[in-house]
Amino acid sequence: MSKQALESTAKDMVAPGKGLLAMDESSPTCKSRFDKIGVACTEENRRAYRDLLVTTKGLSEFIGGAILFDETIRDKTLAGTPFATHLAKSGIVPGIKVDKGAKDLAAHPGEKVTEGLDGLRERLAEYREIGARFTKWRAVITIGKGIPTRGCIEANAHALARYAALAQEAGLVPIVEPEVLINGDHTIERCYEVTEYTLRTVFAEIAVQRVALEGMVLKPSMVISGLECPQRADVQEVAQQTVRCLLDTVPASVPGVAFLSGGQSNEEATAHLNAMHNLGVELPWALTFSYARALQQPALETWKGDAANVAAAQKALYHRAKLNGAAALGRYKASMEKEAA
Ligand code: 13P
């Protein structure tokens, strides 16, 4: 796979006014989402819900790529088409989460390292065969007393870079996701410091492992106050600090930066992205969204596991995707929240 082909896939994923739909919840995460709406996390329900998401009419107006979980990429829509084929036919690039989750990091209490490098080359070849065109690997960095440590950040950055090089070797665009968690009472300044150090370390490892910057997408968290911080920074501050941090750390040849929502409310996640496009600062990369919760929440709550609610849930997803698509162009207005979905 040539660098040009990877670059062209990456550009399709983050085309102007489009972002990514993260729908790659592992089965335990899916269970915790379904528990909240009182739906049993059976294979049948997971399939019905994911069918609802991908068959939403017009979704490709705002969604350039969808990240699937292993179970879904091997599965078919209710109409009997493989999920990856359905997405590709709808003009949405199909992708796959390939990490094996964040596990306790030895000798580092309270910190995690993401596993999944063993056997990854073979798994990537299979995923490409069944239709994936990009991949995702998520690392988590926790802010707390005395953490994160250099050991944790370096271990995760190294794994991200090794993964990204293998994905590109297989002809798949890697989404590199170092998530600095929002949990805690830390200030936005502390989040800035940790995010800056993390991104610097990640891009240093990416250079060492010879990852082609033009053929990857970065999925960072925003620079934001911890959820329990007594004085949380406002929308403008989050936008300014996040853009400043990214400009200082992310090479201009990376085609796209697509944020995770990470526990922000739906409206906050949209408003923050929108504000970043209205700072009067020229951005070298496409700056967009790759949300799971902040895109799916209204649809999930409308669906409630009932086939009779599918059309209304799809309207809710379409509406949220449309608002985030507008935010990715800096054209979102809070008044759009009230428009009929
Ligand atoms: P959230 O938008 O819910 O944070 O999820 C994004 C994601 O893909 C986490 O890996």
Side-chain angles (χ1 to χ4, degrees):
M1 172 71 52
S2 68
K3 210 195 253 190
Q4 285 79 3
L6 289 170
E7 192 173 347
S8 144
T9 302
K11 286 201 167 138
D12 288 344
M13 290 162 62
V14 297
K18 295 190 189 190
L20 305 171
L21 168 62
M23 48 178 286
D24 59 329
E25 293 83 3
S26 63
S27 300
T29 304
C30 196
K31 182 173 179 331
S32 74
R33 305 270 191 273
F34 279 16
D35 281 351
K36 289 196 185 108
I37 53 160
V39 172
C41 191
T42 59
E43 196 184 324
E44 193 186 349
N45 284 339
R46 290 194 296 270
R47 180 179 176 211
Y49 176 62
R50 283 156 172 165
D51 180 273
L52 173 168
L53 297 177
V54 305
T55 61
T56 297
K57 285 209 174 48
L59 196 63
S60 65
E61 293 165 45
F62 316 111
I63 300 294
I67 317 171
L68 305 176
F69 184 57
D70 180 79
E71 176 182 73
T72 313
I73 203 168
R74 298 178 189 283
D75 206 349
K76 293 185 167 128
T77 62
L78 298 180
T81 311
F83 273 92
T85 310
H86 175 87
L87 284 167
K89 278 193 183 150
S90 325
I92 297 176
V93 186
I96 178 79
K97 166 196 173 78
V98 301
D99 67 68
K100 296 267 189 184
K103 309 285 161 65
D104 288 344
L105 177 63
H108 291 75
E111 297 193 287
K112 305 271 184 196
V113 65
T114 301
E115 296 186 349
L117 287 173
D118 286 358
L120 182 57
R121 176 176 274 130
E122 292 72 26
R123 290 196 292 124
L124 291 170
E126 190 199 356
Y127 284 136
R128 192 176 155 86
E129 192 65 32
I130 56 180
R133 289 297 171 263
F134 71 91
T135 56
K136 183 190 103 171
W137 179 291
R138 171 176 178 255
V140 294
I141 307 295
T142 309
I143 300 181
K145 201 161 177 283
I147 59 172
T149 60
R150 184 172 159 198
C152 171
I153 293 174
E154 288 188 0
N156 277 295
H158 180 75
L160 276 167
R162 293 266 315 279
Y163 137 79
L166 281 162
Q168 290 187 339
E169 180 190 86
L172 298 162
V173 171
I175 294 185
V176 171
E177 180 180 9
E179 173 171 6
V180 176
L181 294 175
I182 200 170
N183 309 81
D185 62 0
H186 54 270
T187 60
I188 190 169
E189 288 79 14
R190 177 74 179 130
C191 181
Y192 188 106
E193 191 176 71
V194 171
T195 307
E196 181 185 42
Y197 185 79
T198 300
L199 292 176
R200 279 205 202 295
T201 310
V202 166
F203 281 103
E205 285 288 336
I206 273 182
V208 173
Q209 296 301 326
R210 303 179 174 170
V211 175
L213 294 169
E214 298 83 351
M216 65 165 278
V217 170
L218 177 73
K219 176 163 173 166
S221 37
M222 295 182 191
V223 175
I224 192 166
S225 320
L227 280 180
E228 286 91 45
C229 177
Q231 281 220 302
R232 302 197 70 215
D234 63 13
V235 171
Q236 199 61 14
E237 182 78 5
V238 170
Q240 280 169 353
Q241 298 298 329
T242 302
V243 166
R244 196 179 115 208
C245 186
L246 293 174
L247 286 172
D248 272 354
T249 54
V250 184
S253 43
V254 169
V257 174
F259 294 106
L260 57 95
S261 58
Q264 298 179 43
S265 72
N266 308 329
E267 292 79 6
E268 262 180 341
T270 309
H272 286 149
L273 175 61
N274 187 64
M276 291 180 210
H277 285 282
N278 288 296
L279 295 172
V281 176
E282 203 179 320
L283 304 171
W285 358 258
L287 191 67
T288 186
F289 59 92
S290 176
Y291 298 156
R293 283 164 285 179
L295 267 174
Q296 293 183 41
Q297 217 158 302
L300 191 61
E301 282 164 9
T302 307
W303 174 56
K304 296 194 193 80
D306 187 343
N309 297 331
V310 165
Q314 290 183 324
K315 264 192 176 178
L317 174 66
Y318 180 87
H319 187 58
R320 207 68 241 155
K322 182 176 170 182
L323 300 189
N324 283 303
L329 298 169
R331 295 181 192 154
Y332 163 79
K333 301 218 164 16
S335 59
M336 291 162 78
E337 293 287 345
K338 295 191 180 62
E339 278 173 13

